[in-house]
Amino acid sequence: MTANIVKCLFCNKEFLLPEFKGSFIVHCPYCEFSHVYLPEDNTLSVPTQIEEDTLTSLDGIPLQNENDEFDLDNDQTISQTSFNLQSIPAPASVTLILEVIKGRDRGKVFNIKKSLTTIGRKDCDIVLDDSLVSRKHTSIEMISKDNIFIRDLASRNGIYINGKQVTMKKLYGDEIIKIGNTEIKVIIEK
């Protein structure tokens, strides 16, 4: 079986992708960003909710050869990518609201206006009163009005979206985020 090399749209790292008939979802092996792979053009794009729900999902294969080198300008770590988002204003055409629906902070509503918002137990943009939440637990990253992501920041108990544990996931609105014993409803208004 032959493989194609593609570049992640989020972390810019190259990875191998086995050939597959038709379009499908592929996850970057480095940052787990979801892409739609278009084999006719050998290109990646950001998936819609319908594509994520209906297409076959595969994992990309990391380049493991020691001779494989990355362009240092494009080989960003997750923390470097997140850090760079702090200087970018949030898209004006989208309103992101996080409503705490379960836990000690139930009833609190957070209107997100930054490109990068951290959530945790201490020293974060949103501080939750929950002993199962890590100090810096997760981040919400608003890249554009159609590209809003949640990312686990190597937390002790993980994050769950609609009951499924994830390390990174695109948000579309109406999801329930579970962090520790706290549940948060995601509302996106475009």
Side-chain angles (χ1 to χ4, degrees):
M1 179 180 288
T2 62
N4 293 317
I5 296 176
V6 292
K7 186 181 280 191
C8 177
L9 298 174
F10 193 76
C11 71
N12 290 321
K13 290 186 179 179
E14 293 180 330
F15 59 92
L16 295 174
L17 185 67
E19 286 186 10
F20 188 85
K21 298 240 182 216
S23 297
F24 57 94
I25 300 293
V26 60
H27 306 283
C28 173
Y30 304 105
C31 71
E32 299 185 16
F33 185 83
S34 297
H35 305 79
V36 173
Y37 177 66
L38 305 170
E40 57 276 1
D41 300 325
N42 194 33
T43 60
L44 299 175
S45 67
V46 177
T48 65
Q49 182 68 52
I50 293 170
E51 288 170 328
E52 282 197 0
D53 291 343
T54 58
L55 294 176
T56 300
S57 183
L58 299 173
D59 292 327
I61 304 163
L63 295 174
Q64 296 178 354
N65 184 335
E66 291 179 343
N67 295 326
D68 291 324
E69 295 182 12
F70 297 108
D71 178 352
L72 292 177
D73 292 335
N74 290 327
D75 185 25
Q76 299 175 334
T77 64
I78 303 299
S79 60
Q80 288 172 324
T81 301
S82 298
F83 177 79
N84 291 338
L85 282 174
Q86 292 176 352
S87 63
I88 301 170
S93 60
V94 65
T95 301
L96 174 63
I97 299 167
L98 301 178
E99 178 184 355
V100 180
I101 59 172
K102 183 178 178 186
R104 290 184 180 156
D105 294 301
R106 183 178 181 193
K108 288 187 179 179
V109 176
F110 302 95
N111 191 350
I112 308 302
K113 297 184 186 279
K114 295 171 42 177
S115 292
L116 175 66
T117 301
T118 55
I119 303 171
R121 197 178 70 247
K122 189 175 181 183
D123 300 326
C124 289
D125 300 305
I126 297 174
V127 176
L128 298 175
D129 183 15
D130 186 332
S131 62
L132 294 178
V133 171
S134 295
R135 187 173 299 170
K136 290 193 189 269
H137 199 104
T138 189
S139 66
I140 305 286
E141 301 169 7
M142 294 181 19
I143 298 166
S144 70
K145 69 178 185 173
D146 296 318
N147 291 296
I148 302 171
F149 299 90
I150 186 166
R151 180 190 309 272
D152 187 351
L153 298 175
S155 66
R156 149 184 67 159
N157 293 314
I159 57 174
Y160 295 80
I161 304 295
N162 298 332
K164 181 180 177 187
Q165 188 169 11
V166 299
T167 53
M168 190 180 93
K169 179 85 171 122
K170 184 174 179 177
L171 297 174
Y172 297 92
D174 293 327
E175 293 93 347
I176 302 296
I177 302 168
K178 186 171 191 289
I179 305 171
N181 287 322
T182 302
E183 291 186 7
I184 302 169
K185 180 174 176 129
V186 177
I187 302 164
I188 299 174
E189 299 172 351
K190 297 179 185 179

XYZ file of all heavy atoms in Angstrom, residues 46-144:
769
model
N -11.036 21.575 6.752
C -11.706 21.443 8.045
C -13.081 20.816 7.814
O -13.837 21.278 6.957
C -11.833 22.821 8.732
C -12.589 22.709 10.039
C -10.454 23.425 8.957
N -13.422 19.761 8.567
C -14.696 19.068 8.332
C -15.897 19.814 8.892
O -15.791 20.534 9.874
C -14.510 17.740 9.069
C -13.538 18.041 10.157
C -12.628 19.108 9.600
N -17.034 19.621 8.234
C -18.302 20.097 8.771
C -18.825 19.048 9.739
O -18.332 17.912 9.780
C -19.336 20.294 7.649
O -19.625 19.013 7.061
C -18.827 21.253 6.581
N -19.843 19.378 10.520
C -20.422 18.414 11.465
C -20.980 17.205 10.716
O -20.811 16.073 11.139
C -21.527 19.067 12.291
C -22.149 18.136 13.324
C -21.202 17.770 14.444
O -20.613 18.638 15.053
N -21.052 16.496 14.726
N -21.608 17.432 9.566
C -22.177 16.326 8.781
C -21.064 15.387 8.324
O -21.194 14.168 8.406
C -22.985 16.856 7.576
C -24.237 17.586 8.082
C -23.358 15.743 6.614
C -24.975 18.352 7.024
N -19.945 15.948 7.843
C -18.835 15.106 7.406
C -18.273 14.299 8.574
O -17.990 13.119 8.435
C -17.730 15.977 6.783
C -18.113 16.540 5.432
C -17.141 17.579 4.924
O -16.542 18.314 5.739
O -16.982 17.657 3.690
N -18.134 14.939 9.747
C -17.614 14.218 10.909
C -18.538 13.073 11.316
O -18.088 12.041 11.778
C -17.389 15.167 12.092
C -16.128 15.970 11.956
C -15.676 16.598 13.263
O -16.340 16.423 14.294
O -14.634 17.254 13.232
N -19.835 13.278 11.152
C -20.813 12.268 11.549
C -20.964 11.141 10.533
O -21.403 10.053 10.870
C -22.185 12.904 11.786
C -22.200 13.803 13.016
O -21.277 13.686 13.854
O -23.121 14.626 13.126
N -20.621 11.377 9.247
C -20.935 10.392 8.216
C -19.725 9.722 7.556
O -19.856 8.627 7.033
C -21.786 11.028 7.099
O -21.082 12.130 6.536
C -23.128 11.504 7.638
N -18.569 10.369 7.561
C -17.421 9.811 6.860
C -16.615 8.852 7.737
O -16.603 8.979 8.962
C -16.496 10.930 6.359
C -17.059 11.847 5.276
C -16.071 12.956 4.967
C -17.396 11.076 4.017
N -15.919 7.922 7.093
C -15.006 7.017 7.784
C -13.900 7.837 8.434
O -13.406 8.795 7.868
C -14.383 6.022 6.776
O -15.440 5.275 6.185
C -13.399 5.090 7.447
N -13.500 7.440 9.638
C -12.484 8.170 10.384
C -11.215 7.326 10.512
O -11.279 6.169 10.912
C -13.026 8.517 11.774
O -12.108 9.266 12.495
N -10.059 7.895 10.129
C -8.774 7.208 10.201
C -7.758 8.080 10.932
O -7.899 9.301 10.986
C -8.243 6.911 8.798
C -9.081 6.012 7.902
C -8.483 5.987 6.504
C -9.142 4.610 8.463
N -6.724 7.457 11.465
C -5.637 8.191 12.099
C -4.474 8.296 11.137
O -4.115 7.337 10.464
C -5.169 7.489 13.376
C -6.214 7.534 14.474
O -6.947 8.540 14.543
O -6.303 6.579 15.261
N -3.877 9.498 11.082
C -2.676 9.683 10.294
C -1.509 8.941 10.930
O -1.558 8.551 12.101
N -0.451 8.719 10.167
C 0.722 7.967 10.632
C 1.882 8.939 10.791
O 2.262 9.621 9.837
C 1.090 6.866 9.616
C -0.120 5.963 9.371
C 2.313 6.083 10.083
C -0.003 5.119 8.111
N 2.454 9.030 12.010
C 3.569 9.972 12.184
C 4.771 9.576 11.344
O 5.004 8.395 11.093
C 3.884 9.888 13.682
C 3.269 8.618 14.151
C 2.153 8.280 13.203
N 5.526 10.572 10.912
C 6.787 10.312 10.215
C 7.800 9.903 11.282
O 8.136 10.684 12.153
C 7.263 11.556 9.466
C 6.372 12.014 8.321
C 6.869 13.340 7.770
C 6.340 10.980 7.218
N 8.293 8.660 11.217
C 9.140 8.146 12.285
C 10.603 8.036 11.891
O 11.440 7.725 12.715
C 8.630 6.778 12.742
C 7.249 6.877 13.343
C 6.720 5.525 13.756
O 7.322 4.502 13.496
N 5.584 5.527 14.417
N 10.917 8.308 10.645
C 12.299 8.215 10.191
C 13.098 9.378 10.774
O 12.686 10.524 10.705
C 12.321 8.270 8.649
C 13.694 8.080 8.075
O 14.697 8.341 8.725
N 13.732 7.632 6.837
N 14.243 9.111 11.360
C 15.063 10.156 11.965
C 15.489 11.203 10.941
O 15.796 12.327 11.295
C 16.304 9.560 12.616
C 16.007 8.733 13.844
C 17.270 8.138 14.432
O 18.295 8.094 13.737
O 17.214 7.736 15.587
N 15.527 10.847 9.668
C 15.941 11.790 8.630
C 14.822 12.726 8.200
O 15.049 13.654 7.453
C 16.472 11.035 7.400
C 17.732 10.263 7.724
O 18.529 10.706 8.542
N 17.894 9.114 7.103
N 13.584 12.465 8.658
C 12.481 13.348 8.319
C 12.631 14.630 9.130
O 12.628 14.608 10.344
C 11.123 12.700 8.637
C 10.822 11.541 7.720
O 11.186 11.617 6.529
O 10.241 10.569 8.193
N 12.785 15.744 8.447
C 12.969 17.017 9.135
C 11.785 17.918 8.839
O 11.186 17.867 7.778
C 14.256 17.703 8.671
C 15.502 16.931 9.049
C 16.768 17.640 8.621
O 16.698 18.817 8.236
O 17.822 16.994 8.687
N 11.463 18.760 9.816
C 10.385 19.725 9.662
C 10.984 21.110 9.528
O 12.014 21.424 10.107
C 9.461 19.708 10.893
C 8.770 18.410 11.103
C 9.140 17.563 12.139
C 7.748 18.008 10.267
C 8.496 16.361 12.335
C 7.096 16.809 10.461
C 7.478 15.980 11.494
N 10.328 21.950 8.777
C 10.699 23.351 8.702
C 10.459 23.947 10.086
O 9.350 23.893 10.608
C 9.803 24.031 7.652
C 10.071 25.512 7.527
O 10.834 26.071 8.336
O 9.504 26.095 6.598
N 11.481 24.518 10.720
C 11.352 25.009 12.084
C 10.274 26.067 12.220
O 9.642 26.182 13.252
C 12.696 25.549 12.594
C 13.772 24.491 12.796
C 15.074 25.148 13.236
C 13.333 23.447 13.807
N 10.044 26.867 11.176
C 8.997 27.874 11.245
C 7.610 27.242 11.300
O 6.681 27.819 11.829
C 9.065 28.814 10.045
C 10.303 29.689 10.083
O 10.824 29.931 11.182
O 10.726 30.121 9.001
N 7.455 26.063 10.726
C 6.147 25.410 10.687
C 5.996 24.318 11.729
O 4.909 23.825 11.959
C 5.895 24.805 9.299
C 5.689 25.874 8.265
O 5.151 26.927 8.567
N 6.132 25.627 7.058
N 7.076 23.912 12.368
C 7.022 22.821 13.344
C 6.706 23.386 14.723
O 7.547 23.457 15.597
C 8.351 22.061 13.356
C 8.313 20.842 14.256
O 7.210 20.312 14.479
O 9.376 20.435 14.735
N 5.472 23.818 14.905
C 5.067 24.434 16.157
C 4.545 23.376 17.116
O 3.835 22.473 16.726
C 3.957 25.449 15.911
C 4.379 26.576 14.992
C 3.219 27.482 14.672
O 2.083 27.072 14.702
N 3.526 28.723 14.376
N 4.901 23.519 18.373
C 4.321 22.641 19.379
C 2.941 23.172 19.712
O 2.597 24.305 19.385
C 5.178 22.612 20.658
O 5.163 23.926 21.215
C 6.595 22.163 20.377
N 2.151 22.349 20.402
C 0.804 22.768 20.772
C 0.854 24.050 21.604
O 0.109 24.974 21.368
C 0.094 21.651 21.572
C 0.058 20.355 20.781
C -1.292 22.061 22.001
C -0.652 20.382 19.491
N 1.769 24.123 22.585
C 1.813 25.299 23.440
C 2.213 26.542 22.646
O 1.720 27.625 22.906
C 2.759 25.091 24.616
O 4.059 24.834 24.153
N 3.099 26.401 21.660
C 3.461 27.554 20.846
C 2.265 28.018 20.019
O 2.019 29.199 19.900
C 4.626 27.222 19.917
C 5.945 27.094 20.646
C 7.022 26.574 19.727
O 6.768 25.738 18.867
N 8.231 27.055 19.923
N 1.505 27.080 19.472
C 0.321 27.440 18.703
C -0.665 28.170 19.605
O -1.195 29.203 19.244
C -0.338 26.174 18.114
O 0.607 25.529 17.291
C -1.560 26.527 17.300
N -0.906 27.641 20.811
C -1.827 28.279 21.739
C -1.325 29.656 22.139
O -2.079 30.608 22.204
C -2.013 27.405 22.981
O -2.579 26.181 22.622
N -0.039 29.789 22.404
C 0.529 31.065 22.813
C 0.306 32.122 21.737
O -0.067 33.243 22.031
C 2.026 30.920 23.112
C 2.668 32.214 23.474
C 2.523 32.743 24.742
C 3.398 32.926 22.536
C 3.102 33.952 25.078
C 3.978 34.138 22.869
C 3.839 34.644 24.142
N 0.511 31.768 20.492
C 0.338 32.724 19.405
C -1.105 33.204 19.289
O -1.344 34.308 18.838
C 0.797 32.112 18.080
C 2.296 31.925 18.036
O 3.027 32.576 18.765
N 2.751 31.025 17.191
N -2.063 32.392 19.695
C -3.470 32.787 19.622
C -3.783 33.942 20.563
O -4.727 34.683 20.335
C -4.378 31.600 19.961
C -4.571 30.571 18.875
C -5.367 29.388 19.403
C -5.262 31.169 17.672
N -3.005 34.116 21.632
C -3.292 35.178 22.595
C -3.232 36.554 21.963
O -3.907 37.471 22.411
C -2.314 35.092 23.769
C -2.531 33.863 24.610
C -1.498 33.734 25.716
O -0.531 34.478 25.763
N -1.716 32.780 26.594
N -2.433 36.723 20.938
C -2.283 38.032 20.310
C -3.289 38.268 19.187
O -3.326 39.342 18.610
C -0.859 38.185 19.766
O -0.627 37.220 18.763
N -4.119 37.272 18.883
C -5.091 37.394 17.800
C -6.460 37.698 18.397
O -6.919 36.982 19.290
C -5.173 36.082 16.987
C -3.803 35.745 16.406
C -6.231 36.182 15.906
C -3.729 34.375 15.790
N -7.151 38.745 17.946
C -8.485 39.028 18.481
C -9.477 37.948 18.058
O -9.339 37.349 17.001
C -8.851 40.382 17.880
C -7.969 40.536 16.693
C -6.734 39.708 16.936
N -10.474 37.703 18.897
C -11.519 36.740 18.569
C -12.327 37.255 17.385
O -12.464 38.464 17.197
C -12.430 36.524 19.768
N -12.863 36.352 16.560
C -13.686 36.793 15.431
C -14.894 37.582 15.931
O -15.594 37.148 16.838
C -14.129 35.483 14.778
C -13.248 34.422 15.335
C -12.738 34.911 16.647
N -15.120 38.753 15.356
C -16.219 39.620 15.791
C -17.578 39.059 15.385
O -18.593 39.390 15.981
C -16.037 41.017 15.220
N -17.605 38.198 14.374
C -18.872 37.710 13.838
C -19.417 36.489 14.572
O -20.386 35.889 14.137
C -18.700 37.372 12.361
O -17.709 36.377 12.216
N -18.810 36.117 15.696
C -19.276 34.945 16.433
C -19.332 35.272 17.926
O -18.495 36.012 18.447
C -18.374 33.710 16.173
C -16.980 33.923 16.715
C -18.965 32.449 16.759
N -20.363 34.745 18.580
C -20.483 34.855 20.026
C -20.426 33.442 20.597
O -21.209 32.580 20.204
C -21.821 35.521 20.425
O -21.876 36.816 19.828
C -21.955 35.637 21.925
N -19.488 33.231 21.495
C -19.335 31.934 22.154
C -19.713 32.108 23.609
O -19.139 32.939 24.320
C -17.901 31.421 22.026
C -17.574 30.141 22.780
C -18.407 28.967 22.266
C -16.096 29.822 22.671
N -20.699 31.336 24.046
C -21.179 31.400 25.426
C -21.014 30.018 26.049
O -21.376 29.004 25.446
C -22.662 31.833 25.467
C -22.803 33.229 24.848
C -23.192 31.807 26.900
C -24.224 33.642 24.556
N -20.448 29.989 27.250
C -20.323 28.756 28.027
C -21.214 28.902 29.255
O -21.030 29.822 30.054
C -18.868 28.522 28.444
C -17.854 28.415 27.312
C -16.453 28.229 27.879
C -18.198 27.281 26.367
N -22.182 28.000 29.400
C -23.130 28.049 30.511
C -22.931 26.809 31.386
O -23.076 25.680 30.925
C -24.563 28.080 29.977
C -25.608 28.081 31.067
C -27.027 28.009 30.525
O -27.219 28.049 29.294
O -27.944 27.886 31.351
N -22.587 27.032 32.652
C -22.384 25.927 33.588
C -23.754 25.393 33.986
O -24.576 26.117 34.556
C -21.577 26.360 34.838
C -21.386 25.172 35.782
C -20.235 26.951 34.431
N -24.013 24.114 33.651
C -25.330 23.523 33.916
C -25.305 22.493 35.043
O -26.350 22.059 35.517
C -25.929 22.901 32.638
C -25.018 21.817 32.073
C -26.224 23.983 31.605
C -25.620 21.026 30.917
N -24.087 22.096 35.480
C -23.978 21.135 36.576
C -22.661 21.382 37.305
O -21.643 21.633 36.680
C -24.021 19.700 36.037
C -23.997 18.634 37.111
C -24.090 17.241 36.508
C -24.010 16.191 37.612
N -23.965 14.845 37.047
N -22.720 21.302 38.624
C -21.535 21.510 39.439
C -21.706 22.700 40.370
O -22.746 23.356 40.380
N -20.670 22.994 41.141
C -20.728 24.078 42.123
C -20.928 25.451 41.488
O -21.430 26.364 42.135
C -19.453 24.088 42.957
C -19.345 22.918 43.896
C -18.101 23.051 44.746
N -18.013 21.912 45.647
C -16.894 21.487 46.176
N -15.762 22.126 45.916
N -16.886 20.456 46.984
N -20.528 25.605 40.246
C -20.656 26.895 39.562
C -21.921 26.976 38.706
O -22.045 27.874 37.853
C -19.419 27.151 38.692
C -18.173 27.320 39.527
O -18.145 28.234 40.368
O -17.220 26.531 39.349
N -22.855 26.044 38.924
C -24.090 25.998 38.128
C -24.754 27.380 38.085
O -24.848 28.071 39.085
C -25.052 24.981 38.725
C -26.302 24.820 37.916
C -27.203 23.786 38.488
N -28.367 23.679 37.646
C -29.448 23.051 37.978
N -29.536 22.437 39.137
N -30.459 23.000 37.150
N -25.176 27.756 36.880
C -25.834 29.039 36.678
C -24.910 30.126 36.161
O -25.368 31.127 35.629
N -23.605 29.934 36.282
C -22.665 30.925 35.760
C -22.639 30.848 34.242
O -22.698 29.774 33.655
C -21.258 30.703 36.309
C -21.112 31.084 37.764
C -19.657 30.996 38.196
C -19.491 31.399 39.642
N -18.083 31.304 40.073
N -22.535 32.017 33.609
C -22.485 32.118 32.153
C -21.259 32.947 31.789
O -21.024 34.016 32.361
C -23.767 32.780 31.596
C -23.673 32.961 30.091
C -24.997 31.961 31.969
N -20.471 32.429 30.850
C -19.249 33.097 30.416
C -19.367 33.434 28.936
O -19.575 32.542 28.112
C -18.030 32.200 30.647
C -17.865 31.787 32.088
C -18.379 30.575 32.538
C -17.218 32.613 32.990
C -18.238 30.187 33.861
C -17.069 32.239 34.318
C -17.585 31.022 34.757
N -19.228 34.715 28.605
C -19.255 35.184 27.224
C -17.793 35.290 26.778
O -17.065 36.157 27.267
C -19.974 36.523 27.139
C -20.259 36.940 25.724
O -19.766 36.338 24.769
N -21.044 37.980 25.572
N -17.360 34.424 25.874
C -15.960 34.343 25.465
C -15.692 35.381 24.380
O -16.328 35.378 23.329
C -15.615 32.923 24.950
C -16.026 31.861 25.972
C -14.142 32.828 24.587
C -15.409 32.006 27.330
N -14.700 36.240 24.644
C -14.368 37.312 23.703
C -12.910 37.259 23.265
O -12.460 38.154 22.575
C -14.662 38.663 24.346
C -16.132 38.862 24.679
C -16.379 40.243 25.232
C -17.794 40.405 25.692
N -18.737 40.692 24.675
N -12.187 36.236 23.689
C -10.765 36.122 23.354
C -10.529 34.944 22.423
O -11.300 33.990 22.421
C -9.948 35.911 24.638
C -9.995 37.084 25.591
C -9.373 36.797 26.954
C -8.101 36.019 26.905
N -7.480 35.808 28.211
N -9.444 34.993 21.660
C -9.087 33.877 20.787
C -8.668 32.654 21.587
O -8.891 31.531 21.169
C -7.945 34.267 19.854
O -8.389 35.215 18.939
N -8.047 32.882 22.735
C -7.596 31.782 23.590
C -8.120 32.023 24.991
O -7.820 33.046 25.604
C -6.073 31.696 23.607
C -5.482 30.657 24.548
C -5.854 29.247 24.089
C -3.977 30.796 24.621
N -8.940 31.087 25.484
C -9.504 31.163 26.831
C -9.136 29.889 27.565
O -9.401 28.790 27.075
C -11.035 31.312 26.774
O -11.351 32.497 26.035
C -11.637 31.401 28.156
N -8.520 30.025 28.729
C -8.162 28.852 29.522
C -9.212 28.632 30.605
O -9.812 29.587 31.133
C -6.771 29.002 30.169
O -6.733 30.208 30.941
C -5.682 29.027 29.108
N -9.426 27.350 30.924
C -10.381 26.957 31.960
C -9.648 26.038 32.926
O -8.958 25.101 32.495
C -11.594 26.217 31.353
C -12.289 27.092 30.297
C -12.580 25.800 32.455
C -13.366 26.359 29.507
N -9.807 26.285 34.210
C -9.158 25.438 35.206
C -9.569 25.825 36.612
O -10.504 26.598 36.818
N -8.837 25.295 37.569
C -9.139 25.513 38.975
C -8.455 26.767 39.519
O -8.860 27.311 40.544
C -8.711 24.271 39.772
C -9.285 24.151 41.139
C -8.837 22.874 41.842
N -7.422 22.929 42.177
C -6.471 22.165 41.640
N -6.786 21.251 40.761
N -5.218 22.297 41.986
N -7.390 27.227 38.841
C -6.614 28.351 39.360
C -5.868 29.043 38.217
O -5.452 28.395 37.252
C -5.610 27.810 40.388
C -4.875 28.838 41.174
C -4.011 28.157 42.222
C -3.277 29.199 43.040
N -2.395 28.593 44.014
N -5.697 30.353 38.323
C -4.895 31.133 37.373
C -5.328 30.948 35.916
O -4.494 30.795 35.024
C -3.406 30.792 37.512
C -2.870 31.088 38.898
O -3.339 32.071 39.509
O -1.997 30.340 39.365
N -6.629 30.927 35.654
C -7.174 30.762 34.298
C -8.177 31.877 34.020
O -8.605 32.585 34.929
C -7.868 29.400 34.165
S -6.716 28.022 34.163
N -8.567 32.005 32.762
C -9.599 32.986 32.398
C -10.926 32.634 33.050
O -11.663 33.509 33.500
C -9.753 33.040 30.874
C -8.467 33.451 30.192
O -7.923 34.517 30.538
O -7.989 32.692 29.327
N -11.249 31.332 33.058
C -12.460 30.839 33.728
C -12.008 29.889 34.825
O -11.374 28.860 34.557
C -13.396 30.117 32.739
C -13.881 31.090 31.665
C -14.568 29.474 33.478
C -14.693 30.453 30.556
N -12.309 30.243 36.071
C -11.905 29.435 37.224
C -13.139 28.696 37.733
O -14.176 29.303 38.015
C -11.290 30.318 38.335
C -10.974 29.491 39.570
C -10.043 31.029 37.815
N -13.022 27.362 37.831
C -14.119 26.522 38.298
C -13.837 26.019 39.707
O -12.713 25.627 40.018
C -14.315 25.334 37.352
C -14.694 25.676 35.909
C -14.731 24.417 35.058
C -16.029 26.401 35.852
N -14.861 26.009 40.534
C -14.767 25.503 41.906
C -15.076 24.004 41.886
O -16.186 23.570 42.144
C -15.760 26.254 42.791
C -15.679 25.830 44.259
O -14.678 25.173 44.635
O -16.620 26.149 45.010
N -14.079 23.215 41.498
C -14.241 21.767 41.342
C -12.885 21.116 41.604
O -11.922 21.354 40.873
C -14.728 21.465 39.920
C -15.067 20.012 39.673
O -14.481 19.124 40.332
O -15.912 19.755 38.792
N -12.803 20.289 42.643
C -11.513 19.675 43.017
C -11.004 18.680 41.982
O -9.826 18.343 41.984
C -11.640 18.988 44.386
O -12.591 17.943 44.324
N -11.855 18.212 41.072
C -11.425 17.280 40.032
C -10.926 17.999 38.773
O -10.513 17.357 37.812
C -12.558 16.312 39.674
C -12.972 15.351 40.783
C -14.138 14.476 40.325
C -11.804 14.499 41.224
N -10.976 19.326 38.776
C -10.483 20.122 37.659
C -9.024 20.460 37.931
O -8.670 20.894 39.027
C -11.328 21.409 37.484
C -10.708 22.351 36.472
C -12.756 21.047 37.074
N -8.174 20.266 36.934
C -6.757 20.594 37.064
C -6.573 22.105 37.114
O -7.444 22.868 36.692
C -5.959 20.027 35.888
O -5.985 18.621 35.899
N -5.414 22.518 37.605
C -5.118 23.951 37.710
C -5.323 24.650 36.367
O -5.975 25.667 36.279
C -3.685 24.136 38.194
C -3.353 25.567 38.484
C -2.006 25.694 39.119
N -2.016 24.973 40.372
C -0.954 24.722 41.093
N 0.225 25.127 40.677
N -1.036 24.056 42.214
N -4.733 24.114 35.311
C -4.982 24.571 33.931
C -5.476 23.342 33.183
O -4.686 22.527 32.746
C -3.719 25.147 33.299
C -3.317 26.465 33.920
C -2.270 27.155 33.100
C -1.711 28.341 33.812
N -2.333 29.572 33.590
N -6.760 23.220 33.025
C -7.383 21.980 32.561
C -7.571 21.930 31.046
O -7.232 20.959 30.396
C -8.738 21.810 33.256
C -9.257 20.417 33.226
N -9.208 19.590 34.329
C -9.822 19.707 32.245
C -9.733 18.416 34.013
N -10.120 18.458 32.747
N -8.134 23.007 30.487
C -8.490 22.989 29.074
C -8.426 24.399 28.494
O -8.387 25.377 29.239
C -9.903 22.385 28.868
O -10.140 22.188 27.481
C -10.991 23.256 29.439
N -8.407 24.474 27.171
C -8.471 25.782 26.518
C -9.515 25.744 25.412
O -9.777 24.696 24.826
C -7.109 26.189 25.942
O -6.735 25.328 24.882
N -10.107 26.900 25.173
C -11.012 27.109 24.045
C -10.261 28.018 23.087
O -9.780 29.086 23.482
C -12.336 27.780 24.471
C -13.037 26.994 25.571
C -13.227 28.020 23.257
C -13.689 25.717 25.129
N -10.145 27.598 21.829
C -9.383 28.346 20.835
C -10.306 28.738 19.681
O -10.828 27.880 18.991
C -8.203 27.502 20.350
C -7.280 27.127 21.498
C -6.237 26.088 21.146
O -6.112 25.725 19.962
O -5.547 25.637 22.077
N -10.506 30.042 19.519
C -11.365 30.567 18.451
C -10.467 31.094 17.344
O -9.936 32.197 17.424
C -12.289 31.660 18.995
C -13.283 31.110 19.976
S -14.491 32.268 20.700
C -14.535 33.660 19.663
N -10.296 30.280 16.299
C -9.430 30.640 15.189
C -10.189 31.485 14.165
O -9.672 32.445 13.629
C -8.844 29.372 14.545
C -7.994 28.631 15.596
C -8.031 29.701 13.305
C -7.623 27.233 15.224
N -11.424 31.100 13.901
C -12.325 31.853 13.026
C -13.742 31.492 13.436
O -13.945 30.641 14.308
C -12.083 31.501 11.549
O -12.518 30.185 11.283
